[in-house]
Amino acid sequence: MDKVKIAIFTIPIIIFSIVGIKKLIHINQVNDLKNKEESFLNESIGVLNECFDLENKNKRTLNKSIELIEYCLEEYGYKN
């Protein structure tokens, strides 16, 4: 009878441990993906801010701004 009680107690612990480990692995993978996406977005923001030169936007004419946007799109266009 003691072996049955031990088995009844041990089996759920093993099952919950396996489920918990899978959850931790999944959470870790999601965090890694979020970090990669955030890093990519920060890099893209930096490149675009530098390219568009937003600090000096009021010093340019509309035509020069359009030329700058066209250049940035050609140089740094959408990349996967």
Side-chain angles (χ1 to χ4, degrees):
M1 193 65 156
D2 287 335
K3 290 183 181 182
V4 173
K5 288 181 182 179
I6 292 173
I8 291 173
F9 181 72
T10 306
I11 291 173
I13 290 176
I14 292 172
I15 291 172
F16 289 134
S17 296
I18 291 172
V19 170
I21 290 171
K22 285 185 177 183
K23 289 275 187 189
L24 287 174
I25 290 171
H26 177 71
I27 289 171
N28 195 19
Q29 289 173 343
V30 168
N31 286 340
D32 287 345
L33 182 61
K34 284 181 182 178
N35 289 339
K36 286 179 185 178
E37 289 175 352
E38 186 176 322
S39 173
F40 177 75
L41 287 175
N42 287 337
E43 182 180 325
S44 298
I45 288 169
V47 167
L48 290 176
N49 281 337
E50 183 178 325
C51 184
F52 287 137
D53 189 26
L54 297 175
E55 292 177 8
N56 298 318
K57 67 181 179 181
N58 293 332
K59 298 176 184 175
R60 287 191 300 269
T61 63
L62 184 58
N63 286 337
K64 288 291 181 185
S65 293
I66 291 171
E67 288 176 9
L68 180 61
I69 291 170
E70 288 173 348
Y71 168 77
C72 290
L73 287 174
E74 287 176 12
E75 187 70 24
Y76 302 105
Y78 179 77
K79 296 179 184 177
N80 260 342

